[in-house]
C-alpha cells in the first residue's frame, strides 16, 4: 500500500518523507501562491484557480486571499460558499462543506493528527480524519476545527471556538472546547 493510499484509508502513514505526498503538497502550495498573488479584482482568475485547487465546487464560491491548503483535491464545497481572509485547510482527509457555508477570518480546518508516542511522531507519521460541515453553517472568526469533526446543518460556531467533537444540527456552539449552548 502506498503512503497516499494509507492516508486515504485513515491509517498511520508517512507524511514527512514520502516523495509522492511531498510532491503533491508542493504542487498545491504553488497553486495557492498563484491564487494568493492574483489581483482581488480578478474574479474570473480567482474562480478559475479555485477550480484548479479544490476537488469539487458545486456553485458560487469566494475565498478571500490569502488561502492555504495541503492537497486541495480533498476539499469539496457546496453551493454559495464564502470564506474570509486567512483560511487554512489541512486536507489530508476529506473536508466537505455543504451549501450556504460562511467562514469568518482566521479559521482552520485540520484533518491531520499525530501519534501521542514521541518515537512514532518523530518518524514523521500521522493520521487523517475527515471533517464535514453541513448546510447553512456560519463559522465565526478564529474557529479551529480538529480531525474527525462533523458540524451539522444550521449551526453557528462562535468566534474563537476549538471544535474537538461533533456538533449536532440546529445548534449554537462556543468555547474551548466548543460546546452546544443553544
Amino acid at each position: 500500500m502506498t503512503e497516499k493510499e494509507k492516508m486515504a484509508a485513515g491509517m498511520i502513514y508517512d507524511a514527512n518523507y514520502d516523495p509522492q505526498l511531498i510532491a503533491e503538497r508542493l504542487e498545491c502550495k504553488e497553486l495557492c501562491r498563484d491564487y494568493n498573488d492574483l489581483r482581488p479584482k480578478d474574479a474570473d482568475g480567482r474562480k478559475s484557480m479555485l477550480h484548479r485547487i479544490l476537488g469539487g465546487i458545486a456553485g458560487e464560491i469566494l475565498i478571500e486571499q490569502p488561502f492555504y491548503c495541503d492537497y486541495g483535491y480533498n476539499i469539496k464545497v457546496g453551493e454559495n460558499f464564502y470564506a474570509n481572509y486567512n483560511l487554512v485547510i489541512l486536507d489530508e482527509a476529506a473536508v466537505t462543506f455543504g451549501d450556504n457555508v460562511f467562514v469568518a477570518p482566521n479559521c482552520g480546518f485540520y484533518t491531520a493528527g499525530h501519534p501521542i508516542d514521541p518515537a512514532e511522531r518523530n518518524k514523521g507519521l500521522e493520521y487523517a480524519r475527515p471533517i464535514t460541515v453541513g448546510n447553512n453553517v456560519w463559522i465565526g472568526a478564529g474557529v479551529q476545527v480538529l480531525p474527525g469533526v462533523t458540524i451539522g446543518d444550521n449551526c453557528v460556531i462562535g468566534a474563537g471556538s476549538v471544535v474537538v467533537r461533533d456538533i449536532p444540527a440546529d445548534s449554537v456552539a462556543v468555547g474551548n472546547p466548543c460546546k452546544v449552548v443553544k
Side-chain angles (χ1 to χ4, degrees):
M1 208 173 207
T2 68
E3 297 305 309
K4 184 175 180 176
E5 290 168 337
K6 290 177 190 176
M7 181 177 81
M11 300 168 65
I12 295 285
Y13 64 95
D14 177 352
N16 289 350
Y17 304 108
D18 181 70
Q20 179 184 10
L21 293 177
I22 292 168
E24 289 181 2
R25 284 194 307 271
L26 286 173
E27 180 181 340
C28 188
K29 285 180 182 182
E30 291 287 336
L31 291 172
C32 286
R33 178 175 176 152
D34 291 346
Y35 178 75
N36 292 330
D37 286 344
L38 288 171
R39 305 289 301 178
K41 292 192 282 187
D42 185 3
D44 290 339
R46 288 169 62 175
K47 275 187 186 179
S48 176
M49 281 301 301
L50 287 173
H51 279 275
R52 289 181 61 198
I53 296 168
L54 303 183
I57 299 173
E60 290 300 312
I61 183 171
L62 176 56
I63 298 177
E64 301 290 357
Q65 298 141 299
F67 162 61
Y68 305 96
C69 62
D70 278 342
Y71 297 95
Y73 55 71
N74 286 322
I75 303 168
K76 293 181 178 45
V77 300
E79 179 74 41
N80 196 29
F81 180 83
Y82 175 79
N84 215 317
Y85 306 105
N86 297 315
L87 175 64
V88 174
I89 303 176
L90 303 186
D91 62 311
E92 282 65 19
V95 179
T96 306
F97 296 95
D99 296 336
N100 304 305
V101 173
F102 302 103
V103 180
N106 301 313
C107 290
F109 297 82
Y110 312 113
T111 66
H114 301 279
I116 293 172
D117 178 80
E120 292 294 300
R121 193 171 53 246
N122 292 342
K123 292 178 188 174
L125 301 178
E126 64 183 44
Y127 62 86
R129 302 289 183 267
I131 294 173
T132 303
V133 177
N135 298 315
N136 307 307
V137 173
W138 175 23
I139 307 284
V143 168
Q144 308 301 307
V145 180
L146 299 187
V149 166
T150 295
I151 298 171
D153 292 343
N154 308 310
C155 284
V156 174
I157 307 298
S161 295
V162 179
V163 187
V164 299
R165 62 182 54 93
D166 292 353
I167 304 296
D170 304 304
S171 298
V172 175
V174 300
N176 180 5
C178 189
K179 295 180 183 168
V180 174
V181 295
K182 180 175 175 185

